[in-house]
Amino acid sequence: MDHTTSTPTTGTGEALRLEGVGKVYGTDENRVVALDDVSLSLPSGTFTAVMGPSGSGKSTLLHCAAGLDQPTTGRVHVAGALMSGTDETALTKFRRERIGFVFQQFNLLPMLTVLQNATLPQRLAGRKPDEAHAAAVLARVGLGDRLGHLPSELSGGQQQRVAIARALVAEPNIVFGDEPTGALDTRSARDVLTLLAESVRAYGQTVVMVTHDPVAASYADSVLFLADGRIVGELVAPTAESVAERMAHLGDMVARRRAATAV
Ligand code: ADP
Ligand code: MG
């Protein structure tokens, strides 16, 4: 049975659940608690932004939720299935079938064409690439006339749209993005954010995106705020102004807490 085509990626239900997820790096005096008992539940077909000061655990949260890193404690469920981290082969299969990831630096292979990049995950999974489907998704992201181009022949915004198409082609339960617009100019960033929001509204995709930009966060349905490895707030129906205001408060709060615990 081909899981990726038989499992609905959209619709009702819970796309992501974290139960008491913790992540500790290092030991003894190098010990860093990057995530501290994080629990959350995200319904399918929602667009969530994750914000917080530098070092608050945003990337660690995304990597643990996406199976790119293993939590020290707690459990991650994607679309109702427990991600169990004991077996690397099983984890890789789980990731390929359920999760898409978009990186700040696009991570396209420079010697492969746009179409080859978009179908690479299928080929890595040992399946026959569905080029017609990939071409249709690339057309949807506005690159229908660039299928044979190399990444170096595209702008940054276009390269990120290829990376998003690559994630969407596999029809994952969730697409994660770690600062997906961080390397883009304002206009390309807007195109990429519109595309992500549209994949949620029109296709029921679930998207979780880390950003430090209040304007980017305002494209999401809700914003989760992290500080010192914990979720410290949520903002539903965010605007750039309300997000910026909350971030300013968060900065003050973290500074006060660090001052209080400094020796
Ligand atoms: P953010 O993405 O919010 O900037 P990170 O998730 O990258 O934060 O990091 C959270 C904390 O964990 C930071 O204190 C960081 O220094 C630490 N950290 C992240 N990755 C590692 C690692 N591989 N080894 C040790 N410490 C790490
Ligand atoms: Mg980060």
Side-chain angles (χ1 to χ4, degrees), residues 95-226:
R95 239 182 0 240
R96 281 193 182 135
E97 290 178 351
R98 293 174 180 268
I99 289 162
F101 209 101
V102 179
F103 300 88
Q104 184 173 346
Q105 297 300 337
F106 327 134
N107 289 14
L108 300 176
L109 289 190
M111 346 54 97
L112 298 185
T113 66
V114 164
L115 183 61
Q116 287 167 338
N117 266 288
T119 54
L120 183 63
Q122 291 176 300
R123 272 178 281 146
L124 288 176
R127 289 200 303 271
K128 192 175 173 317
D130 184 346
E131 293 194 342
H133 174 58
V137 175
L138 284 162
R140 220 171 89 198
V141 307
L143 295 170
D145 56 351
R146 301 297 167 102
L147 304 186
H149 287 231
L150 294 174
S152 59
E153 297 169 323
L154 304 177
S155 71
Q158 290 171 328
Q159 291 184 56
Q160 193 60 304
R161 283 188 273 142
V162 175
I164 291 170
R166 176 177 60 186
L168 295 176
V169 163
E171 302 186 327
N173 294 110
I174 312 187
V175 172
F176 292 98
D178 195 352
E179 302 265 9
T181 59
L184 302 178
D185 61 79
T186 308
R187 172 137 186 258
S188 304
R190 212 164 49 209
D191 290 347
V192 160
L193 291 162
T194 302
L195 175 62
L196 289 173
E198 196 181 83
S199 74
V200 175
R201 310 285 175 256
Y203 296 90
Q205 183 64 58
T206 307
V207 175
V208 180
M209 166 185 79
V210 164
T211 180
H212 64 264
D213 175 9
V215 174
S218 72
Y219 283 74
D221 302 313
S222 67
V223 184
L224 295 176
F225 294 91
L226 271 185

Side-chain angles (χ1 to χ4, degrees), residues 7 14-18 42 64-67 75-84 94-95 97-100 172-176:
T7 307
E14 190 179 48
L16 179 69
R17 179 147 49 106
L18 267 56
L42 302 180
C64 287
R75 304 201 295 178
V76 176
H77 296 259
V78 176
L82 176 66
M83 185 191 292
S84 107
F94 189 99
R95 239 182 0 240
E97 290 178 351
R98 293 174 180 268
I99 289 162
N173 294 110
I174 312 187
V175 172
F176 292 98

Side-chain angles (χ1 to χ4, degrees), residues 53-60 63 104 178-179 210:
S54 179
S56 58
K58 303 180 297 293
S59 293
T60 304
H63 291 173
Q104 184 173 346
D178 195 352
E179 302 265 9
V210 164

